[in-house]
Amino acid sequence: MTELLPAARDSLTRDGAARLGRLLSSDECAALRALYDQPDRFRSRVVMARHGFGQGEYQYFANPLPEIVARLRETLYAALVSVANDWAARVGEATYPPTLIEFTARCHAAGQTRPTPLLLRYRTGDYNCLHQDLYGAISFPIQVVIALSDPADYDGGAFVLVEQRPRRQSRAEVFSLAQGEALAFAVRDRPVQGTRGPYRVQMKHGVATVTRGERLTLGIIFHDAL
């Protein structure tokens, strides 16, 4: 993916999320799922229940990232950075550099040197509470999740995105993804045009309870962690 389709750009701007289509083949999904049981490919493993995050677990990849993950991270950043810069301009924030290499250098200069792409695994009864993936002062405002499991292999487990507008009730969107399909969504907030100018609405995401089977996803986060 080298650039967003107009419909995806409009959806991100309007709703804070956009389907990006199928970015991985079934074989590529299977190869990534198989990595989950190779601990030497990861820098850390998180069991959600130990931290009150939900149920299930995830692992952050170590450097060097698998080639396919590194390529996705680089190309998706390039496709999304213009939207990120539109958002930043609307609320008077600093813009983002055009390439992931330059943005990663900015993270590292701030002490954020640990890679953040991850694999998440949910089994029957697992879920992920609403949260934001922030790991330091530097962040990119959009991230991507890609479904690695065939929807026939599990029930439940929908991706949930919640928008919290000031002085209004929250609004939830629920997404079920095909195998290999990607969804881009806001990390922390996004700008909305109000009667007195643009303002930020807070965004959180999570995963509904898996009621049968096993669900694995790939998370592509562009900012590194402290």
Side-chain angles (χ1 to χ4, degrees):
M1 170 173 287
T2 56
E3 61 180 303
L4 290 182
L5 294 174
R9 176 183 288 274
D10 291 346
S11 183
L12 265 174
T13 299
R14 182 184 64 249
D15 301 319
R19 294 179 183 269
L20 304 183
R22 193 180 189 203
L23 301 187
L24 296 175
S25 68
S26 297
D27 288 345
E28 289 170 328
C29 289
L32 284 167
R33 292 198 309 271
L35 293 180
Y36 199 89
D37 295 318
Q38 300 178 30
D40 58 314
R41 305 303 300 266
F42 301 93
R43 65 171 177 83
S44 65
R45 172 174 168 265
V46 176
V47 178
M48 293 187 221
R50 294 176 184 170
H51 307 277
F53 297 164
Q55 302 242 140
E57 61 181 50
Y58 52 87
Q59 298 188 92
Y60 291 103
F61 283 106
N63 279 326
L65 297 175
E67 190 276 333
I68 191 170
V69 176
R71 184 175 73 248
L72 281 167
R73 199 183 193 205
E74 181 176 353
T75 58
L76 285 167
Y77 179 94
L80 294 166
V81 69
S82 62
V83 176
N85 282 332
D86 287 346
W87 289 6
R90 291 176 65 186
V91 293
E93 292 183 343
T95 57
Y96 300 89
T99 68
L100 180 63
I101 291 175
E102 294 170 279
F103 179 68
T104 299
R106 184 180 294 183
C107 290
H108 290 188
Q112 295 175 214
T113 59
R114 297 189 297 162
T116 50
L118 70 165
L119 289 183
L120 305 99
R121 183 172 71 185
Y122 304 90
R123 290 171 168 164
T124 302
D126 291 345
Y127 61 93
N128 198 346
C129 297
L130 294 173
H131 65 283
Q132 299 170 325
D133 291 314
L134 300 170
Y135 304 99
I138 304 297
S139 64
F140 190 75
I142 304 167
Q143 66 191 76
V144 176
V145 62
I146 303 176
L148 301 181
S149 297
D150 186 328
D153 292 336
Y154 65 92
D155 292 324
F159 180 89
V160 181
L161 185 67
V162 174
E163 175 186 273
Q164 299 172 307
R165 292 193 180 192
R167 298 176 299 279
R168 296 187 186 183
Q169 293 182 325
S170 298
R171 179 173 73 101
E173 294 282 347
V174 178
F175 300 87
S176 296
L177 301 177
Q179 186 180 54
E181 185 181 5
L183 178 76
F185 59 96
V187 172
R188 177 180 58 191
D189 55 41
R190 67 181 184 88
V192 170
Q193 187 64 36
T195 56
R196 299 181 181 179
Y199 64 95
R200 296 180 180 89
V201 295
Q202 291 293 307
M203 309 291 291
K204 292 186 176 182
H205 64 278
V207 173
T209 302
V210 173
T211 57
R212 176 190 65 86
E214 180 177 84
R215 173 190 186 274
L216 277 87
T217 57
L218 169 66
I220 302 287
I221 299 166
F222 302 101
H223 44 274
D224 285 343
L226 288 169

